[in-house]
Amino acid sequence: QVQLVESGGGLVQPGGSLRLSCAASGSIHSINFMGWYRQNPGKQRELVASITGGVSTNYADSVKGRFTISRDNAKNTVHLQMNSMKPGDTAVYYCNVVVELVGGVYKYEYWGQGTQVTVSS
């Protein structure tokens, strides 16, 4: 009922920038939460940044001051601007949303397919 399409991953040199985008579509009444997680093989998925209610943001300590999350409400899209990137930022990045569906009363969680981000010289 809800599809997430991620874009913007790739290879970047240390100190460079990338911008990830995630567009949600489907029978969406409202989006309560939009966030980005990342994961490396053998490690737990960790929250990178999130935006709740469209205005309240939260960042992992490791990315504060370098990453910025933003949301385009008209397009149901969330962006993650990543600057001053480090090799430690290398991971698969996943979009995560919590939505209320049209005609429903419950909230549902959805995940994107993941996009690889590699920071290397």
Coordinates of all heavy atoms in Angstrom, one line a residue, residues 3-58:
Q3 N 4.8 2.6 -1.1 CA 6.0 2.3 -1.7 C 7.0 3.4 -1.4 O 6.7 4.6 -1.4 CB 5.9 2.2 -3.3 CG 5.0 1.1 -3.7 CD 3.5 1.5 -3.6 OE1 3.1 2.6 -3.8 NE2 2.7 0.5 -3.1
L4 N 8.3 3.0 -1.2 CA 9.4 3.9 -0.9 C 10.4 3.8 -2.0 O 10.9 2.6 -2.2 CB 10.0 3.7 0.5 CG 9.1 3.8 1.7 CD1 9.8 3.5 3.0 CD2 8.4 5.2 1.7
V5 N 10.8 4.9 -2.6 CA 11.8 4.8 -3.6 C 13.0 5.7 -3.2 O 12.8 6.9 -3.0 CB 11.3 5.3 -5.0 CG1 12.4 5.3 -6.0 CG2 10.2 4.4 -5.4
E6 N 14.1 5.1 -3.0 CA 15.3 5.8 -2.6 C 16.2 6.1 -3.7 O 16.3 5.4 -4.7 CB 16.1 4.9 -1.6 CG 15.3 4.6 -0.3 CD 16.1 3.5 0.5 OE1 17.1 3.0 0.1 OE2 15.6 3.2 1.6
S7 N 17.0 7.2 -3.6 CA 17.9 7.6 -4.7 C 19.0 8.4 -4.0 O 18.9 8.9 -2.9 CB 17.2 8.4 -5.8 OG 16.7 9.6 -5.2
G8 N 20.2 8.5 -4.8 CA 21.2 9.4 -4.4 C 22.5 8.7 -3.8 O 23.4 9.4 -3.5
G9 N 22.5 7.4 -3.6 CA 23.7 6.8 -3.1 C 24.8 6.7 -4.1 O 24.6 7.1 -5.2
G10 N 26.0 6.3 -3.6 CA 27.1 6.1 -4.6 C 28.4 6.2 -3.9 O 28.5 6.1 -2.6
L11 N 29.4 6.5 -4.7 CA 30.8 6.6 -4.2 C 31.2 8.1 -4.1 O 31.0 8.8 -5.0 CB 31.7 5.9 -5.1 CG 33.2 6.0 -4.8 CD1 33.6 5.3 -3.5 CD2 34.0 5.4 -6.0
V12 N 31.8 8.4 -2.9 CA 32.2 9.8 -2.7 C 33.6 9.8 -2.0 O 33.8 8.9 -1.2 CB 31.2 10.6 -2.0 CG1 31.0 10.1 -0.6 CG2 31.5 12.1 -1.9
Q13 N 34.4 10.8 -2.3 CA 35.7 10.8 -1.6 C 35.5 11.4 -0.2 O 34.6 12.2 0.0 CB 36.7 11.7 -2.4 CG 37.1 11.1 -3.7 CD 38.2 11.9 -4.4 OE1 38.4 13.1 -4.1 NE2 38.9 11.3 -5.3
P14 N 36.4 11.1 0.7 CA 36.4 11.8 2.0 C 36.3 13.3 1.9 O 37.1 13.9 1.1 CB 37.7 11.3 2.7 CG 37.9 10.0 2.1 CD 37.5 10.1 0.6
G15 N 35.4 13.9 2.7 CA 35.3 15.3 2.6 C 34.2 15.7 1.7 O 33.8 16.9 1.7
G16 N 33.7 14.8 0.9 CA 32.7 15.1 -0.1 C 31.3 15.1 0.4 O 31.1 14.9 1.6
S17 N 30.3 15.3 -0.5 CA 28.9 15.3 -0.2 C 28.1 14.4 -1.0 O 28.4 14.2 -2.2 CB 28.4 16.8 -0.3 OG 29.1 17.7 0.5
L18 N 27.0 14.0 -0.4 CA 26.0 13.2 -1.2 C 24.6 13.6 -0.6 O 24.5 14.1 0.6 CB 26.1 11.7 -1.0 CG 27.1 11.0 -1.8 CD1 27.2 9.5 -1.4 CD2 26.9 11.1 -3.3
R19 N 23.6 13.5 -1.4 CA 22.2 13.8 -1.0 C 21.4 12.6 -1.3 O 21.2 12.2 -2.4 CB 21.7 15.0 -1.7 CG 20.3 15.5 -1.2 CD 19.9 16.7 -1.9 NE 18.8 17.4 -1.3 CZ 17.7 17.7 -1.9 NH1 17.5 17.4 -3.2 NH2 16.7 18.4 -1.3
L20 N 20.8 12.0 -0.2 CA 19.9 10.9 -0.4 C 18.4 11.4 -0.4 O 18.1 12.4 0.3 CB 20.0 9.9 0.7 CG 21.4 9.3 0.9 CD1 21.4 8.3 2.1 CD2 21.9 8.7 -0.3
S21 N 17.6 10.8 -1.2 CA 16.2 11.1 -1.2 C 15.3 9.9 -1.1 O 15.7 8.8 -1.6 CB 15.8 11.9 -2.5 OG 16.5 13.1 -2.6
C22 N 14.2 10.0 -0.5 CA 13.2 8.9 -0.4 C 11.8 9.4 -0.6 O 11.4 10.3 0.2 CB 13.4 8.3 1.0 SG 12.2 7.0 1.4
A23 N 11.2 8.9 -1.6 CA 9.8 9.4 -1.9 C 8.8 8.3 -1.6 O 9.0 7.1 -2.0 CB 9.7 9.7 -3.4
A24 N 7.8 8.7 -0.8 CA 6.8 7.7 -0.4 C 5.5 8.0 -1.3 O 5.2 9.1 -1.5 CB 6.4 7.9 1.1
S25 N 4.9 6.9 -1.7 CA 3.7 7.0 -2.5 C 2.7 5.9 -2.1 O 3.1 4.9 -1.5 CB 4.0 6.9 -3.9 OG 4.6 5.7 -4.3
G26 N 1.4 6.1 -2.4 CA 0.4 5.1 -2.0 C -0.7 5.8 -1.3 O -0.9 7.0 -1.4
S27 N -1.4 5.0 -0.6 CA -2.6 5.4 0.1 C -2.3 6.1 1.5 O -2.7 5.6 2.5 CB -3.6 4.3 0.3 OG -4.0 3.7 -0.9
I28 N -1.6 7.2 1.4 CA -1.1 7.8 2.6 C -2.0 8.9 3.0 O -2.3 9.9 2.2 CB 0.3 8.4 2.3 CG1 1.3 7.3 2.0 CG2 0.8 9.2 3.6 CD1 2.6 7.7 1.5
H29 N -2.4 8.9 4.3 CA -3.2 10.0 4.8 C -2.3 11.0 5.5 O -2.4 12.2 5.3 CB -4.2 9.5 5.9 CG -4.9 10.5 6.7 ND1 -5.8 11.4 6.1 CD2 -4.8 10.9 8.0 CE1 -6.2 12.3 7.0 NE2 -5.6 12.0 8.1
S30 N -1.3 10.5 6.2 CA -0.3 11.4 6.9 C 0.9 10.6 7.2 O 0.9 9.4 7.3 CB -0.9 12.0 8.1 OG -1.2 11.1 9.1
I31 N 2.0 11.3 7.3 CA 3.3 10.7 7.6 C 3.7 11.3 9.0 O 3.9 12.5 9.1 CB 4.3 10.9 6.6 CG1 3.9 10.4 5.2 CG2 5.7 10.3 7.0 CD1 4.9 10.6 4.1
N32 N 3.9 10.4 10.0 CA 4.2 10.8 11.3 C 5.7 10.9 11.5 O 6.2 11.7 12.3 CB 3.6 9.9 12.3 CG 2.1 9.8 12.2 OD1 1.6 8.8 11.6 ND2 1.4 10.8 12.6
F33 N 6.5 10.0 10.8 CA 7.9 9.9 11.1 C 8.6 9.6 9.8 O 8.1 8.7 9.0 CB 8.1 8.8 12.1 CG 9.6 8.4 12.3 CD1 10.3 9.0 13.4 CD2 10.2 7.5 11.5 CE1 11.6 8.6 13.6 CE2 11.5 7.2 11.7 CZ 12.2 7.7 12.8
M34 N 9.7 10.2 9.5 CA 10.6 9.9 8.4 C 12.0 9.9 8.9 O 12.4 10.8 9.6 CB 10.4 10.9 7.2 CG 9.0 11.0 6.7 SD 8.8 12.0 5.3 CE 9.1 10.8 4.0
G35 N 12.7 8.8 8.5 CA 14.1 8.7 9.0 C 15.0 8.0 8.1 O 14.6 7.3 7.2
W36 N 16.3 8.1 8.4 CA 17.3 7.3 7.7 C 18.1 6.5 8.7 O 18.5 7.0 9.7 CB 18.3 8.3 6.9 CG 17.6 8.9 5.8 CD1 17.0 10.2 5.7 CD2 17.5 8.4 4.4 NE1 16.6 10.4 4.4 CE2 16.9 9.3 3.6 CE3 18.0 7.2 3.9 CZ2 16.6 9.1 2.3 CZ3 17.7 7.0 2.5 CH2 17.0 7.9 1.7
Y37 N 18.3 5.2 8.4 CA 19.1 4.3 9.1 C 20.3 3.9 8.2 O 20.2 4.0 7.0 CB 18.3 3.1 9.6 CG 17.3 3.4 10.7 CD1 16.1 4.1 10.4 CD2 17.5 3.0 12.0 CE1 15.2 4.3 11.4 CE2 16.6 3.2 13.0 CZ 15.4 3.9 12.7 OH 14.5 4.1 13.7
R38 N 21.3 3.3 8.9 CA 22.4 2.7 8.1 C 22.8 1.4 8.8 O 22.7 1.3 10.0 CB 23.5 3.7 7.9 CG 24.3 4.1 9.1 CD 25.3 5.2 8.8 NE 26.0 5.6 10.0 CZ 26.9 6.6 10.0 NH1 27.0 7.4 9.0 NH2 27.5 6.9 11.2
Q39 N 23.4 0.6 7.9 CA 23.8 -0.7 8.4 C 25.0 -1.2 7.6 O 25.1 -1.1 6.4 CB 22.7 -1.7 8.3 CG 22.9 -3.1 9.0 CD 21.7 -3.9 9.0 OE1 20.8 -3.8 8.1 NE2 21.6 -4.8 9.9
N40 N 26.0 -1.8 8.4 CA 27.1 -2.5 7.7 C 27.0 -4.0 8.1 O 26.4 -4.4 9.1 CB 28.4 -1.9 8.3 CG 28.8 -0.7 7.6 OD1 28.9 -0.6 6.4 ND2 29.0 0.4 8.4
P41 N 27.6 -4.8 7.3 CA 27.5 -6.3 7.5 C 28.0 -6.7 8.9 O 29.0 -6.2 9.4 CB 28.5 -6.9 6.5 CG 28.5 -5.9 5.4 CD 28.4 -4.5 6.1
G42 N 27.1 -7.5 9.6 CA 27.5 -7.9 10.9 C 27.2 -7.0 12.0 O 27.4 -7.2 13.2
K43 N 26.6 -5.8 11.7 CA 26.3 -4.8 12.7 C 24.9 -4.5 12.7 O 24.1 -4.7 11.7 CB 27.1 -3.5 12.4 CG 28.6 -3.7 12.6 CD 29.4 -2.4 12.5 CE 30.9 -2.6 12.8 NZ 31.6 -1.2 12.8
Q44 N 24.4 -3.9 13.8 CA 23.0 -3.5 13.9 C 22.7 -2.3 13.1 O 23.6 -1.4 12.9 CB 22.7 -3.3 15.4 CG 22.5 -4.5 16.2 CD 21.9 -4.3 17.6 OE1 22.0 -3.1 18.1 NE2 21.3 -5.3 18.2
R45 N 21.5 -2.2 12.6 CA 21.0 -1.0 11.9 C 21.0 0.1 12.9 O 20.4 -0.1 14.0 CB 19.7 -1.3 11.3 CG 19.3 -0.3 10.3 CD 18.0 -0.7 9.5 NE 18.3 -1.9 8.7 CZ 17.5 -2.4 7.8 NH1 16.2 -1.8 7.7 NH2 17.8 -3.5 7.1
E46 N 21.5 1.3 12.6 CA 21.5 2.4 13.5 C 20.8 3.6 12.9 O 20.8 3.8 11.7 CB 22.9 2.8 13.9 CG 23.8 3.3 12.7 CD 25.1 3.8 13.2 OE1 25.3 4.0 14.4 OE2 25.9 4.2 12.3
L47 N 20.1 4.4 13.7 CA 19.4 5.6 13.3 C 20.5 6.6 13.0 O 21.3 6.9 13.8 CB 18.5 6.1 14.4 CG 17.8 7.4 14.1 CD1 16.8 7.2 12.9 CD2 17.0 7.9 15.3
V48 N 20.4 7.2 11.8 CA 21.3 8.3 11.4 C 20.6 9.7 11.7 O 21.2 10.5 12.3 CB 21.6 8.2 9.9 CG1 22.5 9.4 9.5 CG2 22.3 6.9 9.7
A49 N 19.4 9.8 11.2 CA 18.7 11.1 11.4 C 17.2 10.8 11.2 O 16.8 9.9 10.5 CB 19.1 12.1 10.4
S50 N 16.4 11.6 11.9 CA 14.9 11.5 11.7 C 14.3 12.8 11.9 O 14.8 13.8 12.4 CB 14.4 10.5 12.8 OG 14.5 11.0 14.1
I51 N 13.0 12.9 11.3 CA 12.2 14.1 11.4 C 10.8 13.6 11.8 O 10.2 12.8 11.1 CB 12.3 14.9 10.1 CG1 11.5 16.2 10.3 CG2 11.9 14.2 8.9 CD1 11.9 17.3 9.2
T52 N 10.3 14.2 12.8 CA 9.0 13.8 13.4 C 8.0 15.0 13.3 O 8.4 16.1 13.7 CB 9.1 13.3 14.8 OG1 10.1 12.3 14.8 CG2 7.8 12.8 15.3
G53 N 6.8 14.8 12.9 CA 5.9 15.8 12.8 C 6.3 16.9 11.8 O 5.7 18.0 11.9
G54 N 7.2 16.7 11.0 CA 7.6 17.6 10.0 C 8.6 18.7 10.5 O 9.2 19.5 9.7
V55 N 8.9 18.8 11.8 CA 9.7 19.8 12.3 C 10.8 19.4 13.3 O 11.8 20.0 13.4 CB 8.9 21.0 13.0 CG1 8.1 21.7 11.9 CG2 8.0 20.4 14.1
S56 N 10.5 18.3 14.1 CA 11.4 17.9 15.1 C 12.4 16.9 14.6 O 12.1 15.9 14.1 CB 10.6 17.2 16.2 OG 11.5 16.8 17.3
T57 N 13.7 17.3 14.6 CA 14.8 16.5 14.1 C 15.6 15.9 15.2 O 15.8 16.4 16.3 CB 15.7 17.3 13.1 OG1 16.2 18.4 13.8 CG2 14.9 17.8 11.9
N58 N 16.2 14.7 14.8 CA 17.1 14.0 15.7 C 18.3 13.4 14.9 O 18.1 13.0 13.8 CB 16.4 12.9 16.4 CG 17.2 12.2 17.4 OD1 17.9 12.8 18.2 ND2 17.2 10.8 17.3

